[in-house]
Amino acid sequence: ELKQTPPHCPTLAACNKPLALIPRDWVRESRILLSMRLIDGKQIEKVETGASSEGPLKSVEEWQDYLEEKYAESENEKSVKGNWATNADKKKEEFRNYQDNPRFERVRNFYMENHKNQTYDFVLKMEKKYSRLNRMRMGVWEVLELLDTYIDDSDPDTNLSQLMHSLQTAEAVRKKYPGEKYDWYHLTGLIHDMGKFLGAVYGEKQWCVVGDTFPVGCRFSEKIEFSKFFSLNPDFYDEKMKTKLGVYKKNCGLKNVRMSYGHDEYLYQVCVQNKTTLPQQALYIIRYHSFYPWHKEGEYMYLCDDTDVRMLKWVKDFNQFDLYSKAAEIPNKKELIKYYKGLIDKYFPKVLNW
């Protein structure tokens, strides 16, 4: 049956069979197709990260590269030291200048689509679409290896695959927080971006896979990147939703707030519904690590409850590893695989619903 799959198919989402009916062995073998896509009759050896996702970005990582540049001078990021960190001595002018780069226009267009389409009703629709997690059954390591097929050719800071970058993030965490006490944090660094499954496998558009997340159903903060584009969002003109609290109550807690849909929320639901034993800190990191208006700009605190305030320090701490763990040293996958597979077995069931 594998031969019946179109040889140019960049994602499983483009295949003829419903995802729920695709055998797991086929999923594994499909990685060969993903990494040997034919373009104009010529075989290429790798596929860009998120290349399957429709949208203006060359890769789904470009929005994060933009944020990396923006927050390059932060003292928090400079605190990460050692081989598994970015170059702390790198001057601001050495970071990519998006204003003088074609990438800036792509990032701008991405945010325009994101802010235009991430409405309260859209989020409800996506929650309903993926809430049952009945499309595929795979183990955590299987998913990481599937995502490993995707490589970001557009990023000058790294030519590593998604898995290698995830290992860098995990090892950066592990270096600063060694020992079994924090092994949950090591694993969180490894898996935090697995929700990009939405674009890589299910073919969702870029603007609902990545990007800064933000509450929907209430006033959009002016500190959200490219906030001017919210004027294209119908919720911007809704009498209720354009108020500060919108459909929410003061200090109702982020658990009661609907966020723009993306890989954060999707992976959070995968973890919770598959009964992971990761602690609350890990689940907050997974769910809110892209909520930059909150953990970087201090916005929306009026929606937070006491638990959110306590957990904020962990989300802020993780950001240094999320944005600034790229390094020249390549993780030794063979040496690390046993350790991280052991953590996966400790905190997750063998097979998960996706």
Side-chain angles (χ1 to χ4, degrees):
E1 288 187 341
L2 182 62
K3 294 179 181 179
Q4 297 176 10
T5 308
H8 60 279
C9 172
T11 75
L12 293 174
C15 298
N16 295 326
K17 288 197 173 189
L19 286 171
L21 301 180
I22 297 177
R24 287 169 64 194
D25 287 343
W26 190 349
V27 173
R28 293 191 195 97
E29 293 181 46
S30 70
R31 293 173 65 244
I32 300 173
L33 293 178
L34 291 166
S35 61
M36 297 178 63
R37 194 158 49 114
L38 296 177
I39 297 182
D40 295 330
K42 296 181 180 180
Q43 180 174 303
I44 61 173
E45 295 182 352
K46 54 188 176 181
V47 179
E48 299 160 4
T49 304
S52 59
S53 298
E54 181 183 345
L57 300 180
K58 186 176 180 182
S59 86
V60 292
E61 308 304 332
E62 285 191 311
W63 73 277
Q64 201 161 7
D65 293 337
Y66 170 83
L67 294 178
E68 179 180 319
E69 178 188 350
K70 176 180 178 179
Y71 296 118
E73 292 291 285
S74 169
E75 290 301 319
N76 189 39
E77 280 72 43
K78 287 184 178 180
S79 67
V80 187
K81 304 295 183 182
N83 292 334
W84 297 104
T86 190
N87 185 352
D89 297 323
K90 194 172 184 180
K91 297 179 181 178
K92 184 176 181 179
E93 57 267 24
E94 294 181 73
F95 283 85
R96 288 152 293 180
N97 186 342
Y98 275 85
Q99 296 287 350
D100 298 325
N101 192 312
R103 190 179 296 178
F104 177 81
E105 190 65 22
R106 293 196 295 270
V107 170
R108 177 183 178 278
N109 290 338
F110 162 78
Y111 276 108
M112 180 171 65
E113 289 189 8
N114 176 280
H115 295 352
K116 174 183 176 180
N117 293 297
Q118 287 278 4
T119 65
Y120 188 84
D121 286 342
F122 171 77
V123 171
L124 291 177
K125 176 183 174 183
M126 294 300 286
E127 287 178 354
K128 182 178 180 180
K129 182 176 181 179
Y130 288 108
S131 63
R132 296 178 64 185
L133 300 181
N134 62 352
R135 293 167 173 257
M136 190 178 293
R137 287 178 55 78
M138 295 180 71
V140 169
W141 193 260
E142 282 183 288
V143 170
L144 287 170
E145 288 194 319
L146 180 60
L147 292 176
D148 194 38
T149 302
Y150 297 85
I151 299 175
D152 184 2
D153 283 338
S154 69
D155 188 351
D157 286 346
T158 180
N159 61 357
L160 300 182
S161 64
Q162 182 66 52
L163 178 55
M164 288 298 102
H165 176 59
S166 296
L167 284 170
Q168 279 192 335
T169 303
E171 286 296 286
V173 174
R174 189 179 176 191
K175 183 177 180 64
K176 187 172 181 180
Y177 294 92
E180 185 177 357
K181 178 180 178 180
Y182 295 104
D183 66 0
W184 62 268
Y185 204 0
H186 311 161
L187 181 58
T188 303
L190 182 72
I191 69 169
H192 74 283
D193 272 344
M194 278 202 313
K196 291 176 182 177
F197 199 81
L198 283 172
V201 178
Y202 293 155
E204 292 292 348
K205 295 180 180 180
Q206 291 172 347
W207 56 263
C208 64
V209 176
V210 296
D212 317 29
T213 57
F214 48 84
V216 294
C218 63
R219 181 187 302 160
F220 300 116
S221 168
E222 292 183 356
K223 291 188 178 181
I224 300 172
E225 288 297 314
F226 293 95
S227 60
K228 64 181 181 180
F229 290 131
F230 284 118
S231 62
L232 303 174
N233 188 311
D235 290 355
F236 185 82
Y237 303 97
D238 184 277
E239 290 300 321
K240 180 73 171 178
M241 297 186 191
K242 70 180 183 180
T243 61
K244 181 178 179 178
L245 290 175
V247 300
Y248 308 112
K249 295 181 179 179
K250 186 176 180 180
N251 303 125
C252 62
L254 293 180
K255 64 180 179 294
N256 295 310
V257 175
R258 283 194 161 86
M259 304 293 295
S260 55
Y261 200 82
H263 72 281
D264 299 38
E265 180 63 23
Y266 174 69
L267 182 58
Y268 170 79
Q269 293 299 332
V270 168
C271 291
V272 171
Q273 293 190 45
N274 284 284
K275 302 188 187 314
T276 180
T277 55
L278 284 170
Q280 188 178 40
Q281 298 96 312
L283 295 176
Y284 260 79
I285 290 169
I286 288 168
R287 196 176 198 182
Y288 300 115
H289 68 272
S290 299
F291 190 8
Y292 286 89
W294 179 50
H295 65 72
K296 274 291 190 182
E297 304 293 345
E299 294 290 277
Y300 297 105
M301 293 304 296
Y302 50 84
L303 294 176
C304 297
D305 60 17
D306 291 342
T307 302
D308 300 326
V309 174
R310 288 199 310 272
M311 292 295 109
L312 176 58
K313 66 179 182 180
W314 285 102
V315 181
K316 290 173 72 71
D317 185 73
F318 179 74
N319 184 247
Q320 63 185 300
F321 308 115
D322 190 20
L323 281 187
Y324 292 88
S325 59
K326 295 174 183 176
E329 184 176 344
I330 299 175
N332 190 321
K333 179 179 175 182
K334 191 171 291 186
E335 290 181 1
L336 297 175
I337 188 171
K338 183 177 180 181
Y339 176 71
Y340 286 104
K341 278 190 172 182
L343 295 187
I344 291 170
D345 290 341
K346 179 178 178 179
Y347 290 104
F348 283 97
K350 292 290 185 184
V351 181
L352 283 67
N353 295 318
W354 294 85

